[in-house]
């Protein structure tokens, strides 16, 4: 029996739908193929490599030396009061771009501060520094300048070091002229503050001791000797 044209069309559609359903697929797409749209290539973002070469651990052989010019009673010429602090602690990591990792920090115990005069030491620690409330000085290095990187495994280096120093709860950005020597995993360095500091930079006043000290120059000259161990390569 010859089916009418519209019936043949309907039957074909039903059969097609049954076949698709049996195969679990969707109806076939049109044989007309659209030109594919090119996929945009992601643009690479330039980044600065700041990989650290490893951490350096500060040893207890490190020390900080402070010099202040004073005029003592009964002495014709001024002289330097020299005070030294030990009890160093901390670590630092230098990135390949000359900056330091966020966890880098060096501390000194101000309770260890001493000179050749016990009375001076007690006055500086208790009255000037307030060590009972602020027992440590903290230095957080942030960047270097003039240092060739990556650091050679041995040799002597000179560069400028910048960071944030906190004394008596007050923080100030300071810089040091540094001469360092590396021998594999051993590092020694002397960092001299440049410029020098004022007492007011850290919320202090120049010491005044009646009957003993006539005057103290408002200038703190600091040098930090660092001894650290770290990566050998």
């Amino acid at each position: 029996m010859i089916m009418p044209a519209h019936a043949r069309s309907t039957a074909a559609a039903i059969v097609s739908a049954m076949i698709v359903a049996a195969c679990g697929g969707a109806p076939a797409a049109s044989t007309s193929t659209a030109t594919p749209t090119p996929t945009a290539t992601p643009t690479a973002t330039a980044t600065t490599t700041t990989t650290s070469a490893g951490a350096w651990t500060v040893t207890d052989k490190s020390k900080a030396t402070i010099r202040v010019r004073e005029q003592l009673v009964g002495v014709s010429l001024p002289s330097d009061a020299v005070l030294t602090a030990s009890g160093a602690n901390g670590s630092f990591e230098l990135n390949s771009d000359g900056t330091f990792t966020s966890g880098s920090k060096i501390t000194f115990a101000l309770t260890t501060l001493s000179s050749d005069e016990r009375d001076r030491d007690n006055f500086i620690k208790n009255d000037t520094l307030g060590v009972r409330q602020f027992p440590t000085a903290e230095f957080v290095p942030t960047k270097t300048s003039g240092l060739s990187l990556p650091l050679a495994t041995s040799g002597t280096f000179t560069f400028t070091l910048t960071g944030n120093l906190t004394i008596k709860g007050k923080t100030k950005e300071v810089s040091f002229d540094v001469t360092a020597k590396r021998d594999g995993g051993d590092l020694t360095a002397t960092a001299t503050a440049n410029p020098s500091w004022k007492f007011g930079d850290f919320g202090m006043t120049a010491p005044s001791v009646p009957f003993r000290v006539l005057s103290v120059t408002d200038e703190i000259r600091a040098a930090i000797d660092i001894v650290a161990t770290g990566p050998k390569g």
Side-chain angles (χ1 to χ4, degrees):
M1 180 179 69
I2 300 175
M3 299 176 65
H6 72 277
R8 289 199 303 271
S9 176
T10 301
I14 294 173
V15 171
S16 177
M18 291 175 64
I19 293 173
V20 170
C23 294
S30 172
T31 56
S32 175
T33 304
T35 302
T37 302
T39 302
T41 301
T43 302
T45 302
T47 57
T48 302
T49 301
T50 59
T51 304
S52 168
W56 292 89
T57 301
V58 177
T59 75
D60 57 8
K61 294 180 181 179
S62 305
K63 65 177 182 179
T65 303
I66 302 297
R67 287 178 168 83
V68 177
R69 200 72 167 168
E70 65 181 5
Q71 178 65 60
L72 300 176
V73 174
V75 179
S76 59
L77 296 175
S79 60
D80 283 346
V82 182
L83 300 98
T84 303
S86 56
N89 192 15
S91 64
F92 56 90
E93 293 185 63
L94 183 63
N95 293 320
S96 60
D97 63 353
T99 62
F100 289 83
T101 60
S102 60
S104 298
K105 182 170 68 174
I106 302 172
T107 64
F108 282 92
L110 295 181
T111 53
T112 66
L113 202 64
S114 63
S115 68
D116 58 349
E117 291 285 347
R118 180 176 297 181
D119 290 341
R120 176 199 289 127
D121 302 343
N122 291 334
F123 183 89
I124 293 297
K125 287 190 288 187
N126 297 326
D127 293 74
T128 305
L129 293 170
V131 295
R132 288 189 178 90
Q133 184 177 358
F134 307 100
T136 61
E138 297 181 349
F139 177 66
V140 177
T142 55
K143 63 181 180 180
T144 63
S145 177
L147 180 61
S148 297
L149 296 169
L151 198 64
T153 57
S154 64
T156 301
F157 319 92
T158 58
F159 58 96
T160 299
L161 172 65
T162 302
N164 297 311
L165 178 65
T166 301
I167 297 176
K168 205 176 181 179
K170 188 173 180 61
T171 302
K172 175 181 173 60
E173 185 179 71
V174 297
S175 60
F176 295 88
D177 293 331
V178 182
T179 298
K181 181 179 180 181
R182 181 183 183 182
D183 183 7
D186 297 320
L187 179 70
T188 58
T190 298
T192 304
N194 185 18
S196 57
W197 313 326
K198 302 290 187 183
F199 283 93
D201 291 340
F202 302 99
M204 302 181 293
T205 57
S208 176
V209 183
F211 310 112
R212 293 186 61 85
V213 181
L214 290 177
S215 63
V216 172
T217 302
D218 189 11
E219 180 186 29
I220 302 172
R221 290 169 287 144
I224 301 176
D225 294 311
I226 295 294
V227 180
T229 58
K232 295 182 179 180

